[in-house]
Short mmCIF file of all heavy atoms in Angstrom, two decimals:
data_model
loop_
_atom_site.label_atom_id
_atom_site.label_comp_id
_atom_site.label_asym_id
_atom_site.label_seq_id
_atom_site.Cartn_x
_atom_site.Cartn_y
_atom_site.Cartn_z
N MET A 1001 0.84 -1.20 0.00
CA MET A 1001 0.00 0.00 0.00
C MET A 1001 0.88 1.25 0.00
O MET A 1001 1.78 1.38 0.80
CB MET A 1001 -0.89 -0.03 1.23
CG MET A 1001 -1.86 1.14 1.31
SD MET A 1001 -2.75 1.20 2.86
CE MET A 1001 -3.71 -0.29 2.82
N GLY A 1002 0.61 2.14 -0.93
CA GLY A 1002 1.32 3.40 -0.96
C GLY A 1002 2.73 3.32 -1.52
O GLY A 1002 3.48 4.29 -1.42
N GLN A 1003 3.09 2.20 -2.11
CA GLN A 1003 4.44 2.09 -2.65
C GLN A 1003 4.55 2.68 -4.06
O GLN A 1003 5.61 3.06 -4.48
CB GLN A 1003 4.88 0.63 -2.67
CG GLN A 1003 5.10 0.09 -1.26
CD GLN A 1003 5.63 -1.33 -1.28
OE1 GLN A 1003 5.51 -2.02 -2.28
NE2 GLN A 1003 6.20 -1.77 -0.18
N ASN A 1004 3.44 2.72 -4.75
CA ASN A 1004 3.44 3.17 -6.12
C ASN A 1004 2.87 4.58 -6.23
O ASN A 1004 1.70 4.77 -6.48
CB ASN A 1004 2.61 2.20 -6.98
CG ASN A 1004 3.46 1.55 -8.05
OD1 ASN A 1004 4.42 2.15 -8.53
ND2 ASN A 1004 3.11 0.35 -8.43
N ARG A 1005 3.72 5.58 -6.07
CA ARG A 1005 3.21 6.94 -6.02
C ARG A 1005 2.64 7.41 -7.35
O ARG A 1005 1.83 8.31 -7.37
CB ARG A 1005 4.34 7.88 -5.59
CG ARG A 1005 4.65 7.74 -4.11
CD ARG A 1005 5.68 8.77 -3.71
NE ARG A 1005 6.89 8.64 -4.53
CZ ARG A 1005 7.72 9.63 -4.80
NH1 ARG A 1005 7.48 10.82 -4.32
NH2 ARG A 1005 8.80 9.44 -5.51
N ASN A 1006 3.08 6.82 -8.44
CA ASN A 1006 2.61 7.26 -9.74
C ASN A 1006 1.36 6.53 -10.21
O ASN A 1006 0.83 6.82 -11.26
CB ASN A 1006 3.72 7.08 -10.78
CG ASN A 1006 4.85 8.06 -10.54
OD1 ASN A 1006 4.62 9.17 -10.07
ND2 ASN A 1006 6.06 7.64 -10.83
N SER A 1007 0.90 5.60 -9.43
CA SER A 1007 -0.30 4.87 -9.81
C SER A 1007 -1.47 5.28 -8.91
O SER A 1007 -1.28 5.60 -7.75
CB SER A 1007 -0.08 3.36 -9.68
OG SER A 1007 0.89 2.94 -10.59
N THR A 1008 -2.65 5.24 -9.48
CA THR A 1008 -3.84 5.50 -8.69
C THR A 1008 -4.71 4.26 -8.68
O THR A 1008 -4.45 3.30 -9.40
CB THR A 1008 -4.62 6.70 -9.26
OG1 THR A 1008 -4.90 6.45 -10.62
CG2 THR A 1008 -3.81 7.97 -9.14
N ASP A 1009 -5.76 4.30 -7.92
CA ASP A 1009 -6.58 3.11 -7.72
C ASP A 1009 -7.22 2.60 -9.01
O ASP A 1009 -7.47 1.42 -9.16
CB ASP A 1009 -7.68 3.40 -6.70
CG ASP A 1009 -7.10 3.51 -5.30
OD1 ASP A 1009 -5.96 3.06 -5.11
OD2 ASP A 1009 -7.78 4.04 -4.42
N ASP A 1010 -7.49 3.51 -9.96
CA ASP A 1010 -8.13 3.06 -11.19
C ASP A 1010 -7.11 2.66 -12.27
O ASP A 1010 -7.46 2.44 -13.41
CB ASP A 1010 -9.08 4.14 -11.71
CG ASP A 1010 -8.35 5.42 -12.10
OD1 ASP A 1010 -7.12 5.47 -11.88
OD2 ASP A 1010 -8.99 6.33 -12.60
N GLY A 1011 -5.85 2.60 -11.89
CA GLY A 1011 -4.84 2.11 -12.82
C GLY A 1011 -4.31 3.16 -13.76
O GLY A 1011 -3.55 2.84 -14.67
N SER A 1012 -4.66 4.42 -13.55
CA SER A 1012 -4.15 5.46 -14.43
C SER A 1012 -2.75 5.88 -14.01
O SER A 1012 -2.36 5.71 -12.86
CB SER A 1012 -5.10 6.67 -14.40
OG SER A 1012 -5.14 7.22 -13.11
N ARG A 1013 -2.01 6.42 -14.97
CA ARG A 1013 -0.68 6.94 -14.65
C ARG A 1013 -0.43 8.19 -15.47
O ARG A 1013 -0.95 8.35 -16.57
CB ARG A 1013 0.40 5.88 -14.90
CG ARG A 1013 0.44 5.39 -16.32
CD ARG A 1013 1.31 4.13 -16.42
NE ARG A 1013 1.22 3.53 -17.73
CZ ARG A 1013 2.01 3.85 -18.76
NH1 ARG A 1013 2.95 4.74 -18.59
NH2 ARG A 1013 1.85 3.29 -19.93
N THR A 1014 0.40 9.06 -14.93
CA THR A 1014 0.68 10.31 -15.63
C THR A 1014 1.71 10.07 -16.73
O THR A 1014 2.64 9.29 -16.57
CB THR A 1014 1.19 11.38 -14.66
OG1 THR A 1014 2.25 10.85 -13.89
CG2 THR A 1014 0.08 11.84 -13.73
N VAL A 1015 1.53 10.76 -17.84
CA VAL A 1015 2.44 10.65 -18.97
C VAL A 1015 2.72 12.05 -19.52
O VAL A 1015 1.96 12.99 -19.32
CB VAL A 1015 1.85 9.78 -20.10
CG1 VAL A 1015 1.69 8.34 -19.64
CG2 VAL A 1015 0.54 10.34 -20.61
N THR A 1016 3.88 12.16 -20.20
CA THR A 1016 4.15 13.36 -20.99
C THR A 1016 4.24 12.94 -22.45
O THR A 1016 4.23 11.75 -22.78
CB THR A 1016 5.46 14.04 -20.56
OG1 THR A 1016 6.55 13.15 -20.83
CG2 THR A 1016 5.44 14.37 -19.07
N PHE A 1017 4.36 13.92 -23.33
CA PHE A 1017 4.45 13.64 -24.76
C PHE A 1017 5.78 14.18 -25.28
O PHE A 1017 5.93 15.39 -25.44
CB PHE A 1017 3.26 14.27 -25.49
CG PHE A 1017 1.96 13.88 -24.82
CD1 PHE A 1017 1.37 14.72 -23.89
CD2 PHE A 1017 1.37 12.66 -25.07
CE1 PHE A 1017 0.20 14.36 -23.24
CE2 PHE A 1017 0.21 12.28 -24.42
CZ PHE A 1017 -0.39 13.13 -23.51
N LEU A 1018 6.71 13.26 -25.46
CA LEU A 1018 8.08 13.63 -25.81
C LEU A 1018 8.63 14.67 -24.82
O LEU A 1018 9.32 15.61 -25.19
CB LEU A 1018 8.15 14.15 -27.25
CG LEU A 1018 7.65 13.16 -28.31
CD1 LEU A 1018 7.73 13.79 -29.69
CD2 LEU A 1018 8.46 11.88 -28.26
N GLY A 1019 8.28 14.51 -23.56
CA GLY A 1019 8.80 15.37 -22.51
C GLY A 1019 8.02 16.65 -22.30
O GLY A 1019 8.40 17.48 -21.47
N ARG A 1020 6.92 16.82 -23.02
CA ARG A 1020 6.14 18.05 -22.89
C ARG A 1020 4.69 17.72 -22.56
O ARG A 1020 4.21 16.61 -22.77
CB ARG A 1020 6.19 18.86 -24.19
CG ARG A 1020 7.59 19.18 -24.62
CD ARG A 1020 7.60 20.08 -25.83
NE ARG A 1020 6.94 21.36 -25.53
CZ ARG A 1020 6.77 22.33 -26.42
NH1 ARG A 1020 7.18 22.15 -27.67
NH2 ARG A 1020 6.19 23.45 -26.09
N GLY A 1021 3.97 18.72 -22.04
CA GLY A 1021 2.57 18.52 -21.74
C GLY A 1021 2.37 17.57 -20.58
O GLY A 1021 3.33 17.16 -19.90
N LEU A 1022 1.12 17.22 -20.34
CA LEU A 1022 0.80 16.30 -19.26
C LEU A 1022 -0.52 15.60 -19.57
O LEU A 1022 -1.49 16.23 -20.00
CB LEU A 1022 0.66 17.07 -17.94
CG LEU A 1022 0.43 16.21 -16.70
CD1 LEU A 1022 1.62 15.30 -16.42
CD2 LEU A 1022 0.14 17.09 -15.49
N GLY A 1023 -0.52 14.30 -19.35
CA GLY A 1023 -1.72 13.54 -19.59
C GLY A 1023 -1.90 12.46 -18.55
O GLY A 1023 -1.02 12.22 -17.72
N LEU A 1024 -3.05 11.82 -18.61
CA LEU A 1024 -3.36 10.73 -17.70
C LEU A 1024 -3.78 9.53 -18.55
O LEU A 1024 -4.77 9.60 -19.28
CB LEU A 1024 -4.50 11.16 -16.77
CG LEU A 1024 -4.65 10.41 -15.45
CD1 LEU A 1024 -3.40 10.58 -14.60
CD2 LEU A 1024 -5.86 10.94 -14.71
N ARG A 1025 -2.98 8.47 -18.48
CA ARG A 1025 -3.22 7.31 -19.32
C ARG A 1025 -3.84 6.18 -18.50
O ARG A 1025 -3.35 5.82 -17.45
CB ARG A 1025 -1.88 6.86 -19.94
CG ARG A 1025 -1.83 5.44 -20.44
CD ARG A 1025 -2.88 5.13 -21.46
NE ARG A 1025 -2.69 5.84 -22.74
CZ ARG A 1025 -3.57 5.74 -23.74
NH1 ARG A 1025 -4.66 5.00 -23.59
NH2 ARG A 1025 -3.35 6.39 -24.86
N THR A 1026 -4.96 5.65 -18.98
CA THR A 1026 -5.50 4.43 -18.43
C THR A 1026 -5.43 3.36 -19.51
O THR A 1026 -5.00 3.63 -20.63
CB THR A 1026 -6.96 4.62 -17.97
OG1 THR A 1026 -7.78 4.79 -19.12
CG2 THR A 1026 -7.09 5.83 -17.06
N ALA A 1027 -5.87 2.17 -19.19
CA ALA A 1027 -5.82 1.08 -20.16
C ALA A 1027 -6.68 1.38 -21.38
O ALA A 1027 -6.38 0.93 -22.47
CB ALA A 1027 -6.27 -0.21 -19.50
N THR A 1028 -7.70 2.18 -21.21
CA THR A 1028 -8.67 2.36 -22.29
C THR A 1028 -8.63 3.74 -22.92
O THR A 1028 -9.09 3.92 -24.04
CB THR A 1028 -10.10 2.12 -21.78
OG1 THR A 1028 -10.33 2.94 -20.65
CG2 THR A 1028 -10.27 0.65 -21.40
N LYS A 1029 -8.10 4.74 -22.21
CA LYS A 1029 -8.16 6.07 -22.82
C LYS A 1029 -7.08 6.99 -22.27
O LYS A 1029 -6.44 6.72 -21.26
CB LYS A 1029 -9.54 6.71 -22.62
CG LYS A 1029 -9.75 7.21 -21.20
CD LYS A 1029 -11.02 8.05 -21.16
CE LYS A 1029 -11.18 8.70 -19.79
NZ LYS A 1029 -12.36 9.55 -19.72
N LEU A 1030 -6.91 8.12 -22.98
CA LEU A 1030 -5.97 9.16 -22.59
C LEU A 1030 -6.74 10.43 -22.23
O LEU A 1030 -7.59 10.87 -22.98
CB LEU A 1030 -5.00 9.45 -23.73
CG LEU A 1030 -4.10 10.66 -23.53
CD1 LEU A 1030 -3.04 10.36 -22.47
CD2 LEU A 1030 -3.46 11.09 -24.82
N THR A 1031 -6.42 11.00 -21.08
CA THR A 1031 -6.94 12.31 -20.72
C THR A 1031 -5.82 13.33 -20.89
O THR A 1031 -4.75 13.18 -20.30
CB THR A 1031 -7.42 12.30 -19.26
OG1 THR A 1031 -8.41 11.30 -19.09
CG2 THR A 1031 -8.01 13.66 -18.88
N LEU A 1032 -6.06 14.33 -21.73
CA LEU A 1032 -5.03 15.33 -22.01
C LEU A 1032 -5.20 16.53 -21.08
O LEU A 1032 -6.13 17.32 -21.22
CB LEU A 1032 -5.13 15.78 -23.47
CG LEU A 1032 -4.09 16.82 -23.92
CD1 LEU A 1032 -2.68 16.30 -23.77
CD2 LEU A 1032 -4.36 17.26 -25.34
N LEU A 1033 -4.31 16.65 -20.11
CA LEU A 1033 -4.43 17.71 -19.10
C LEU A 1033 -3.75 19.00 -19.54
O LEU A 1033 -4.32 20.08 -19.39
CB LEU A 1033 -3.82 17.23 -17.78
CG LEU A 1033 -4.47 15.98 -17.18
CD1 LEU A 1033 -3.71 15.53 -15.94
CD2 LEU A 1033 -5.93 16.22 -16.85
N VAL A 1034 -2.53 18.89 -20.08
CA VAL A 1034 -1.81 20.06 -20.59
C VAL A 1034 -1.30 19.71 -21.98
O VAL A 1034 -0.67 18.67 -22.19
CB VAL A 1034 -0.63 20.43 -19.67
CG1 VAL A 1034 0.15 21.61 -20.24
CG2 VAL A 1034 -1.12 20.76 -18.27
N CYS A 1035 -1.58 20.58 -22.94
CA CYS A 1035 -1.21 20.31 -24.32
C CYS A 1035 0.30 20.42 -24.52
O CYS A 1035 0.92 21.39 -24.10
CB CYS A 1035 -1.93 21.32 -25.22
SG CYS A 1035 -1.52 21.12 -26.97
N PRO A 1036 0.91 19.43 -25.18
CA PRO A 1036 2.35 19.50 -25.43
C PRO A 1036 2.71 20.47 -26.54
O PRO A 1036 3.86 20.86 -26.68
CB PRO A 1036 2.70 18.06 -25.84
CG PRO A 1036 1.44 17.54 -26.43
CD PRO A 1036 0.32 18.18 -25.67
N LEU A 1037 1.74 20.86 -27.32
CA LEU A 1037 2.01 21.71 -28.47
C LEU A 1037 1.90 23.20 -28.11
O LEU A 1037 2.79 23.98 -28.39
CB LEU A 1037 1.02 21.37 -29.59
CG LEU A 1037 1.41 21.86 -30.98
CD1 LEU A 1037 2.69 21.18 -31.45
CD2 LEU A 1037 0.29 21.58 -31.98
N CYS A 1038 0.82 23.59 -27.45
CA CYS A 1038 0.62 25.00 -27.11
C CYS A 1038 0.77 25.27 -25.62
O CYS A 1038 0.66 26.42 -25.18
CB CYS A 1038 -0.74 25.48 -27.61
SG CYS A 1038 -2.14 24.71 -26.77
N SER A 1039 1.02 24.23 -24.84
CA SER A 1039 1.29 24.35 -23.40
C SER A 1039 0.13 24.94 -22.60
O SER A 1039 0.32 25.42 -21.49
CB SER A 1039 2.56 25.17 -23.15
OG SER A 1039 3.67 24.54 -23.76
N GLN A 1040 -1.06 24.93 -23.18
CA GLN A 1040 -2.23 25.43 -22.46
C GLN A 1040 -2.83 24.31 -21.61
O GLN A 1040 -2.81 23.15 -21.99
CB GLN A 1040 -3.30 25.93 -23.46
CG GLN A 1040 -2.86 27.13 -24.26
CD GLN A 1040 -2.76 28.39 -23.42
OE1 GLN A 1040 -3.53 28.61 -22.51
NE2 GLN A 1040 -1.77 29.20 -23.73
N ARG A 1041 -3.39 24.70 -20.49
CA ARG A 1041 -4.11 23.74 -19.66
C ARG A 1041 -5.47 23.47 -20.31
O ARG A 1041 -6.22 24.39 -20.63
CB ARG A 1041 -4.31 24.32 -18.26
CG ARG A 1041 -4.94 23.30 -17.31
CD ARG A 1041 -5.04 23.88 -15.91
NE ARG A 1041 -5.66 22.91 -15.02
CZ ARG A 1041 -4.99 21.93 -14.41
NH1 ARG A 1041 -3.69 21.82 -14.59
NH2 ARG A 1041 -5.60 21.08 -13.62
N ASN A 1042 -5.76 22.19 -20.48
CA ASN A 1042 -6.95 21.82 -21.23
C ASN A 1042 -8.22 21.93 -20.38
O ASN A 1042 -8.18 21.83 -19.16
CB ASN A 1042 -6.77 20.37 -21.72
CG ASN A 1042 -7.48 20.13 -23.02
OD1 ASN A 1042 -8.15 21.00 -23.58
ND2 ASN A 1042 -7.33 18.92 -23.53
N GLY A 1043 -9.34 22.15 -21.03
CA GLY A 1043 -10.63 22.15 -20.35
C GLY A 1043 -11.07 20.73 -20.07
O GLY A 1043 -10.68 19.78 -20.75
N ASP A 1044 -11.88 20.57 -19.05
CA ASP A 1044 -12.26 19.23 -18.59
C ASP A 1044 -12.91 18.39 -19.69
O ASP A 1044 -12.63 17.22 -19.84
CB ASP A 1044 -13.22 19.34 -17.41
CG ASP A 1044 -12.50 19.79 -16.14
OD1 ASP A 1044 -11.26 19.75 -16.13
OD2 ASP A 1044 -13.17 20.18 -15.19
N ARG A 1045 -13.80 19.02 -20.44
CA ARG A 1045 -14.56 18.26 -21.43
C ARG A 1045 -13.66 17.73 -22.54
O ARG A 1045 -13.74 16.57 -22.94
CB ARG A 1045 -15.67 19.14 -22.01
CG ARG A 1045 -16.65 18.35 -22.85
CD ARG A 1045 -17.76 19.25 -23.35
NE ARG A 1045 -18.47 19.92 -22.24
CZ ARG A 1045 -19.44 20.80 -22.42
NH1 ARG A 1045 -19.82 21.12 -23.63
NH2 ARG A 1045 -20.02 21.36 -21.40
N MET A 1046 -12.78 18.60 -23.05
CA MET A 1046 -11.89 18.18 -24.12
C MET A 1046 -10.76 17.30 -23.60
O MET A 1046 -10.28 16.41 -24.30
CB MET A 1046 -11.32 19.41 -24.84
CG MET A 1046 -12.37 20.18 -25.62
SD MET A 1046 -13.25 19.18 -26.85
CE MET A 1046 -12.02 19.12 -28.15
N ALA A 1047 -10.35 17.55 -22.36
CA ALA A 1047 -9.32 16.70 -21.77
C ALA A 1047 -9.77 15.25 -21.75
O ALA A 1047 -8.99 14.33 -22.02
CB ALA A 1047 -9.01 17.18 -20.35
N ASP A 1048 -11.05 15.07 -21.48
CA ASP A 1048 -11.60 13.73 -21.41
C ASP A 1048 -11.56 13.03 -22.77
O ASP A 1048 -11.53 11.81 -22.86
CB ASP A 1048 -13.04 13.81 -20.89
CG ASP A 1048 -13.55 12.47 -20.40
OD1 ASP A 1048 -12.87 11.87 -19.55
OD2 ASP A 1048 -14.61 12.02 -20.87
N LYS A 1049 -11.57 13.83 -23.84
CA LYS A 1049 -11.51 13.27 -25.20
C LYS A 1049 -10.07 13.05 -25.66
O LYS A 1049 -9.83 12.48 -26.71
CB LYS A 1049 -12.21 14.21 -26.19
CG LYS A 1049 -13.69 14.41 -25.91
CD LYS A 1049 -14.26 15.39 -26.93
CE LYS A 1049 -15.70 15.76 -26.62
NZ LYS A 1049 -16.61 14.60 -26.72
N GLY A 1050 -9.10 13.60 -24.90
CA GLY A 1050 -7.71 13.47 -25.29
C GLY A 1050 -7.32 14.42 -26.41
O GLY A 1050 -6.34 14.18 -27.12
N VAL A 1051 -8.08 15.52 -26.56
CA VAL A 1051 -7.81 16.50 -27.60
C VAL A 1051 -7.69 17.88 -26.96
O VAL A 1051 -8.47 18.23 -26.08
CB VAL A 1051 -8.95 16.52 -28.65
CG1 VAL A 1051 -8.66 17.54 -29.74
CG2 VAL A 1051 -9.15 15.14 -29.24
N CYS A 1052 -6.73 18.69 -27.42
CA CYS A 1052 -6.56 20.03 -26.90
C CYS A 1052 -7.71 20.93 -27.35
O CYS A 1052 -8.03 20.97 -28.53
CB CYS A 1052 -5.22 20.61 -27.37
SG CYS A 1052 -4.96 22.33 -26.88
N GLU A 1053 -8.32 21.64 -26.42
CA GLU A 1053 -9.43 22.51 -26.80
C GLU A 1053 -8.94 23.82 -27.42
O GLU A 1053 -9.72 24.57 -27.98
CB GLU A 1053 -10.32 22.80 -25.59
CG GLU A 1053 -9.74 23.79 -24.61
CD GLU A 1053 -10.78 24.22 -23.57
OE1 GLU A 1053 -11.94 23.82 -23.68
OE2 GLU A 1053 -10.40 24.94 -22.64
N TRP A 1054 -7.65 24.10 -27.30
CA TRP A 1054 -7.11 25.36 -27.80
C TRP A 1054 -6.61 25.23 -29.24
O TRP A 1054 -6.86 26.08 -30.08
CB TRP A 1054 -5.97 25.84 -26.91
CG TRP A 1054 -6.42 26.00 -25.49
CD1 TRP A 1054 -6.23 25.10 -24.46
CD2 TRP A 1054 -7.16 27.08 -24.92
NE1 TRP A 1054 -6.82 25.58 -23.32
CE2 TRP A 1054 -7.38 26.79 -23.57
CE3 TRP A 1054 -7.66 28.28 -25.46
CZ2 TRP A 1054 -8.08 27.65 -22.73
CZ3 TRP A 1054 -8.36 29.14 -24.61
CH2 TRP A 1054 -8.56 28.82 -23.27
N CYS A 1055 -5.85 24.18 -29.53
CA CYS A 1055 -5.29 24.05 -30.87
C CYS A 1055 -5.72 22.75 -31.55
O CYS A 1055 -5.26 22.44 -32.64
CB CYS A 1055 -3.76 24.12 -30.81
SG CYS A 1055 -2.98 22.70 -30.02
N ALA A 1056 -6.59 21.99 -30.89
CA ALA A 1056 -7.17 20.76 -31.44
C ALA A 1056 -6.13 19.67 -31.65
O ALA A 1056 -6.35 18.72 -32.40
CB ALA A 1056 -7.93 21.04 -32.75
N TYR A 1057 -4.98 19.80 -31.00
CA TYR A 1057 -3.95 18.78 -31.12
C TYR A 1057 -4.35 17.53 -30.37
O TYR A 1057 -4.87 17.58 -29.26
CB TYR A 1057 -2.64 19.32 -30.56
CG TYR A 1057 -1.48 18.34 -30.68
CD1 TYR A 1057 -0.95 18.03 -31.92
CD2 TYR A 1057 -0.92 17.76 -29.54
CE1 TYR A 1057 0.11 17.15 -32.03
CE2 TYR A 1057 0.15 16.89 -29.65
CZ TYR A 1057 0.66 16.58 -30.89
OH TYR A 1057 1.71 15.71 -31.00
N GLU A 1058 -4.10 16.39 -31.01
CA GLU A 1058 -4.38 15.10 -30.39
C GLU A 1058 -3.08 14.31 -30.35
O GLU A 1058 -2.60 13.89 -31.41
CB GLU A 1058 -5.44 14.34 -31.19
CG GLU A 1058 -5.83 13.03 -30.53
CD GLU A 1058 -7.00 12.36 -31.27
OE1 GLU A 1058 -7.49 12.92 -32.28
OE2 GLU A 1058 -7.39 11.27 -30.84
N PRO A 1059 -2.48 14.14 -29.19
CA PRO A 1059 -1.17 13.47 -29.10
C PRO A 1059 -1.23 12.03 -29.59
O PRO A 1059 -2.21 11.32 -29.34
CB PRO A 1059 -0.83 13.52 -27.60
CG PRO A 1059 -1.72 14.58 -27.03
CD PRO A 1059 -2.95 14.57 -27.87
N ALA A 1060 -0.18 11.62 -30.29
CA ALA A 1060 -0.07 10.24 -30.74
C ALA A 1060 0.34 9.36 -29.57
O ALA A 1060 1.15 9.76 -28.73
CB ALA A 1060 0.94 10.13 -31.86
N GLU A 1061 -0.22 8.16 -29.53
CA GLU A 1061 0.07 7.26 -28.42
C GLU A 1061 1.56 6.93 -28.36
O GLU A 1061 2.12 6.75 -27.30
CB GLU A 1061 -0.76 5.98 -28.58
CG GLU A 1061 -0.65 5.07 -27.36
CD GLU A 1061 -1.66 3.94 -27.42
OE1 GLU A 1061 -2.65 4.05 -28.18
OE2 GLU A 1061 -1.47 2.94 -26.71
N ARG A 1062 2.21 6.89 -29.54
CA ARG A 1062 3.63 6.55 -29.56
C ARG A 1062 4.49 7.66 -28.94
O ARG A 1062 5.65 7.43 -28.63
CB ARG A 1062 4.08 6.26 -30.98
CG ARG A 1062 4.06 7.47 -31.89
CD ARG A 1062 4.63 7.14 -33.27
NE ARG A 1062 4.61 8.32 -34.12
CZ ARG A 1062 3.58 8.69 -34.86
NH1 ARG A 1062 2.48 7.97 -34.86
NH2 ARG A 1062 3.63 9.77 -35.60
N ASP A 1063 3.94 8.87 -28.80
CA ASP A 1063 4.69 9.96 -28.21
C ASP A 1063 4.62 9.98 -26.69
O ASP A 1063 5.32 10.74 -26.04
CB ASP A 1063 4.17 11.30 -28.73
CG ASP A 1063 4.53 11.55 -30.19
OD1 ASP A 1063 5.42 10.83 -30.70
OD2 ASP A 1063 3.92 12.43 -30.81
N GLU A 1064 3.78 9.13 -26.13
CA GLU A 1064 3.62 9.12 -24.67
C GLU A 1064 4.87 8.57 -23.98
O GLU A 1064 5.45 7.59 -24.41
CB GLU A 1064 2.42 8.26 -24.28
CG GLU A 1064 1.10 8.88 -24.68
CD GLU A 1064 -0.07 7.96 -24.33
OE1 GLU A 1064 0.05 7.14 -23.40
OE2 GLU A 1064 -1.10 8.06 -25.01
N GLU A 1065 5.24 9.25 -22.90
CA GLU A 1065 6.34 8.77 -22.07
C GLU A 1065 5.89 8.84 -20.62
O GLU A 1065 5.18 9.75 -20.23
CB GLU A 1065 7.57 9.67 -22.27
CG GLU A 1065 8.13 9.62 -23.67
CD GLU A 1065 9.27 10.62 -23.85
OE1 GLU A 1065 9.40 11.52 -23.02
OE2 GLU A 1065 10.02 10.46 -24.83
N PRO A 1066 6.32 7.87 -19.81
CA PRO A 1066 5.94 7.90 -18.40
C PRO A 1066 6.49 9.13 -17.70
O PRO A 1066 7.61 9.55 -17.95
CB PRO A 1066 6.54 6.62 -17.81
CG PRO A 1066 7.44 6.07 -18.85
CD PRO A 1066 7.15 6.72 -20.15
N CYS A 1067 5.66 9.73 -16.85
CA CYS A 1067 6.05 10.94 -16.14
C CYS A 1067 6.56 10.54 -14.76
O CYS A 1067 6.14 9.56 -14.18
CB CYS A 1067 4.84 11.86 -16.01
SG CYS A 1067 5.23 13.46 -15.31
N GLY A 1068 7.48 11.35 -14.22
CA GLY A 1068 7.92 11.13 -12.86
C GLY A 1068 9.19 10.32 -12.73
O GLY A 1068 9.66 10.08 -11.63
N THR A 1069 9.78 9.93 -13.85
CA THR A 1069 11.06 9.24 -13.80
C THR A 1069 12.18 10.27 -13.69
O THR A 1069 11.98 11.45 -13.91
CB THR A 1069 11.27 8.37 -15.05
OG1 THR A 1069 11.10 9.17 -16.21
CG2 THR A 1069 10.27 7.24 -15.08
N ALA A 1070 13.36 9.82 -13.37
CA ALA A 1070 14.48 10.73 -13.20
C ALA A 1070 14.74 11.54 -14.46
O ALA A 1070 14.71 11.03 -15.56
CB ALA A 1070 15.73 9.95 -12.83
N GLY A 1071 15.03 12.82 -14.26
CA GLY A 1071 15.32 13.66 -15.38
C GLY A 1071 14.16 14.53 -15.65
O GLY A 1071 13.91 15.55 -15.80
ZN1 ZN B 1158 -2.90 22.76 -27.73
#
């Protein structure tokens, strides 16, 4: 209990996109919290779709990197 700081109870984990932006990845979907392209904080509704509400950018899954590792 409490050993996995980057994991939550629903299995989601934070990710970045080539070191930029911020998202929340679960087994089934991506929530885009901060856009890696325009660096804007996303709105809740569009974040849930995994698309930036400001520039309509949709990060590619292959660009995801785990967040919280060294560096
Ligand atoms: Zn954007």
Side-chain angles (χ1 to χ4, degrees):
M1001 182 188 295
Q1003 291 184 342
N1004 242 330
R1005 287 185 303 153
N1006 291 328
S1007 295
T1008 55
D1009 288 343
D1010 64 356
S1012 63
R1013 58 193 172 89
T1014 51
V1015 295
T1016 64
F1017 309 96
L1018 302 179
R1020 304 185 61 182
L1022 185 64
L1024 201 62
R1025 160 58 67 184
T1026 69
T1028 54
K1029 75 169 186 178
L1030 171 72
T1031 302
L1032 181 61
L1033 300 175
V1034 178
C1035 178
L1037 197 64
C1038 67
S1039 299
Q1040 295 290 324
R1041 186 176 179 85
N1042 211 358
D1044 287 346
R1045 190 178 303 177
M1046 292 303 282
D1048 197 54
K1049 298 178 186 296
V1051 180
C1052 176
E1053 75 170 355
W1054 303 98
C1055 69
Y1057 182 68
E1058 184 174 0
E1061 188 170 341
R1062 67 176 181 273
D1063 289 344
E1064 290 178 26
E1065 296 175 343
C1067 186
T1069 54

